[in-house]
Each structure stands twice: as C-alpha cells, then as structure tokens.
Amino acid sequence: MLDFRIILDEIYKDAIHTKDKGVVASYIPELAHIDRNSFGIHLRTSEGNEYSVGDFNKPFSIQSISKVLALAKAISFKGNDVWQRVGVEPSGNPFNHLSLLELENGIPRNPLINSGAIVIADILISHLDNPKEDFLNFVRDLTGDNSVNYNKQVAKSEKATGYKNIAAANLLKSFGNLENSVDDVLDFYFHQCSIEMSCSQLSKAFYLFVNKGKCLFEKVYLTESQAKRINAIMLTCGFYDEAGEFAFEVGLPGKSGVGGGIAALLPNKFVITTWSPGLNKNGNSQLGMQALEQFTSKTKLSIF
Ligand code: DON
C-alpha cells in the first residue's frame, strides 16, 4: 500500500533542502515580492482523501493555470467551434512568443500560450453578461469557496507592463481573431491571471478534469470527451517549450503558472497541486517540477 503521507514528507524535505530554488518572476512587478522559500503540495484522490505538506493553504497568483479553467468555460459555450480560432498543437516556444502568430495568420497554436488564452478571453467576453464577475463565480463554484478572488494589484501591475500581451492582442485583432476591443480583452485576461488560490483550492477547482467533466460538487460542466481533450492539451501544451520535458519526467497532464503553481492530474485517480515561486529558465516552477517527478517516480502513478 502506498503511504502518500510519507511520500509527500520525503518530497517536502528534499525540496526545502534544495539550494537552487529557481528565480521568482519579476516581469510582473507585483509578483517579485513573493518569498521564494514558500513550498506546498496538496493531493486529492478520487476516493475523497486529501494529503498535504508545507504552504498548501496559502493563496498565490495562479496566472497561466487560469487558462485551463477559461478554456473549460469557453468549451462549455462553444464546444468544437473554439477550434476554428485556436489550434491544438504544442508551440515549442515560450508562452509569450509572437512570431509564429504572425506566420500562422493570427491563429494561435494552442489555448494555453498567451495568444491562445487571449482568444479564449475574447470568446468569454462575447458570451458572459458580466465577464469578470461571471468567470470568478465559475471558479468559485468549481472550488466551492467564495473567498477565491482576483488580486487587483497584480492585474494592474501586469496591465502596466504587459507589452508582449498588448502586442499579441493587437496582432490577433489585425487578423480579425478578436471580436471585442483589445483593451476589454486584455483587462479580462489580466484579471483572470490574477486569481489567487491555494494548492488545496486549486485541487478542488481542477477536480472536474479528473472526474470526466463533473466537478467535486457533482455538477457536470464538460462532456467526458471534452474533459479528455482538455487533458490532452495540458499534456502536450501545458508547459510551453518544456511540455516534452514535463511529459518525460512526470508523465501527467498539467499546467504551470509564473506565480510558481502547478496543477497536474491522473484522470480518474487524483489531482496534485504544487506551489514554489522560483521558476526555471522556461518559466515553470523549479521545485514544483522536481516534486512532481519524485511523486510519479515514487508512486509509479502516471499516465504512462
Ligand atoms: O500573460 C502572462 O504573461 C501571465 N499573466 C501569465 C504567464 C504564465 O503564467 C506563464 N506560465 N508559466
């Protein structure tokens, strides 16, 4: 029998003693103050058991992890029509890369790079009555927790310095792949990325991807096929130019964010979330990746 408690304790001890903890993101100035020694893990199994270590209850900026939740919401409105405006191929490039977008006529490679997520934000704005409020309520419903919120300071900080996203949104607009104004779409996107959650909240929010589209509270948001496809996109695109490395080392669908969080899952079995703010050179949490590699190696629980 696997003892998850012992395994998480071993991983935690290793992580806190690792000298190279990566570098905290500073291109969004508000994120630069975060203590890089923070470290937490939370595991939720399909049997309803929870295991956790470290700072698993401390909220952090989920950043790009929000892109998966936004995609789920957009698919629940538009189904397969989403794929007319964004692809499903890994980009092999950093999350904020621009030149492919121009070469490929304003169709982003996938919904988890920034340009793809900006198209998804545009779809949400077109379909939601009060986009920011409605999206936050969706995330709160998935989590069963009304304390989940935007961090307006972080959103503002990104807006003031988000030159590459501003460029991406303008390129998308020039190709006719944004229905709404660049300003409205970016305002929504920066807020979406600024949502704060702890590892334990994030494990709840991602449970629908473990559970064939049905959330922790039994509400069905996605069909089984839609949940399968979102997991496939996480596996192939969730870590940008490091997606191959994550599949190789960890072997789970997952998504990272520059706030240092990672949410990963084994369909039908568990969701595991980690938070460690120091990033590696690809913008993914250094110790989070280390922890997840150790977890799937020690437990032999991966999709491969
Ligand atoms: O758009 C950005 O650059 C950020 N709001 C999100 C980027 C991010 O989290 C990339 N993930 N590792």
Side-chain angles (χ1 to χ4, degrees), residues 209-277:
F209 306 116
V210 174
N211 197 28
K212 302 188 169 93
K214 193 193 275 184
C215 80
L216 193 58
F217 311 102
E218 301 284 310
K219 184 166 171 190
V220 176
Y221 285 94
L222 300 168
T223 66
E224 198 173 327
S225 159
Q226 289 169 338
K228 177 191 86 172
R229 286 170 204 265
I230 293 175
N231 285 336
I233 292 170
M234 279 197 259
L235 183 77
T236 52
C237 311
F239 295 81
Y240 316 109
D241 39 346
E242 209 170 28
E245 178 80 5
F246 193 81
F248 181 78
E249 296 285 349
V250 179
L252 296 174
K255 184 73 205 84
S256 61
V258 289
I262 299 179
L265 62 112
L266 183 59
N268 307 315
K269 296 283 182 223
F270 65 80
V271 51
I272 183 164
T273 50
T274 60
W275 177 47
S276 173

Side-chain angles (χ1 to χ4, degrees), residues 27-28 31 62-65 67 95-96 112 114 118 158 165 189-190 193-194 238-240 255-259 261 279 282-285:
Y27 79 99
I28 302 174
L31 295 183
I62 68 167
Q63 292 296 324
S64 285
I65 300 172
K67 294 169 178 172
F95 57 88
N96 55 5
L112 301 185
N114 287 7
I118 291 170
E158 185 165 13
N165 285 325
Y189 172 75
F190 292 142
C193 289
S194 82
F239 295 81
Y240 316 109
K255 184 73 205 84
S256 61
V258 289
L279 308 179
N282 297 100
N284 299 314
S285 170

Side-chain angles (χ1 to χ4, degrees), residues 101-303:
L101 183 63
E102 184 169 32
L103 281 174
E104 297 181 353
N105 301 317
I107 303 293
R109 273 286 170 107
N110 67 68
L112 301 185
I113 52 174
N114 287 7
S115 55
I118 291 170
V119 169
I120 299 297
D122 183 55
I123 292 174
L124 292 181
I125 294 177
S126 295
H127 283 80
L128 296 171
D129 294 334
N130 302 298
K132 284 192 274 188
E133 197 182 320
D134 295 352
F135 182 70
L136 185 60
N137 283 334
F138 167 66
V139 178
R140 287 176 171 177
D141 287 348
L142 286 178
T143 316
D145 189 337
N146 282 340
S147 72
V148 173
N149 219 331
Y150 297 120
N151 180 328
K152 296 214 162 94
Q153 279 302 108
V154 170
K156 198 169 150 204
S157 173
E158 185 165 13
K159 196 173 198 168
T161 54
Y163 304 112
K164 281 218 167 177
N165 285 325
I166 296 166
N170 278 287
L171 259 181
L172 289 164
K173 189 77 181 168
S174 77
F175 282 106
N177 200 5
L178 284 191
E179 289 173 355
N180 300 284
S181 79
V182 164
D183 282 353
D184 285 353
V185 176
L186 288 176
D187 182 58
F188 179 88
Y189 172 75
F190 292 142
H191 277 82
Q192 167 202 314
C193 289
S194 82
I195 288 179
E196 293 189 332
M197 281 180 153
S198 63
C199 289
S200 61
Q201 289 170 325
L202 205 50
S203 293
K204 286 184 180 156
F206 265 61
Y207 192 74
L208 82 164
F209 306 116
V210 174
N211 197 28
K212 302 188 169 93
K214 193 193 275 184
C215 80
L216 193 58
F217 311 102
E218 301 284 310
K219 184 166 171 190
V220 176
Y221 285 94
L222 300 168
T223 66
E224 198 173 327
S225 159
Q226 289 169 338
K228 177 191 86 172
R229 286 170 204 265
I230 293 175
N231 285 336
I233 292 170
M234 279 197 259
L235 183 77
T236 52
C237 311
F239 295 81
Y240 316 109
D241 39 346
E242 209 170 28
E245 178 80 5
F246 193 81
F248 181 78
E249 296 285 349
V250 179
L252 296 174
K255 184 73 205 84
S256 61
V258 289
I262 299 179
L265 62 112
L266 183 59
N268 307 315
K269 296 283 182 223
F270 65 80
V271 51
I272 183 164
T273 50
T274 60
W275 177 47
S276 173
L279 308 179
N280 65 18
K281 63 178 182 357
N282 297 100
N284 299 314
S285 170
Q286 173 120 337
L287 293 185
M289 283 190 62
Q290 172 180 307
L292 291 169
E293 186 281 319
Q294 291 178 348
F295 181 79
T296 57
S297 296
K298 284 174 192 278
T299 60
K300 302 192 174 57
L301 292 171
S302 90
I303 62 169

Side-chain angles (χ1 to χ4, degrees), residues 17-28:
H17 291 117
T18 301
K19 284 211 171 60
D20 182 6
K21 292 186 158 59
V23 181
V24 175
S26 56
Y27 79 99
I28 302 174

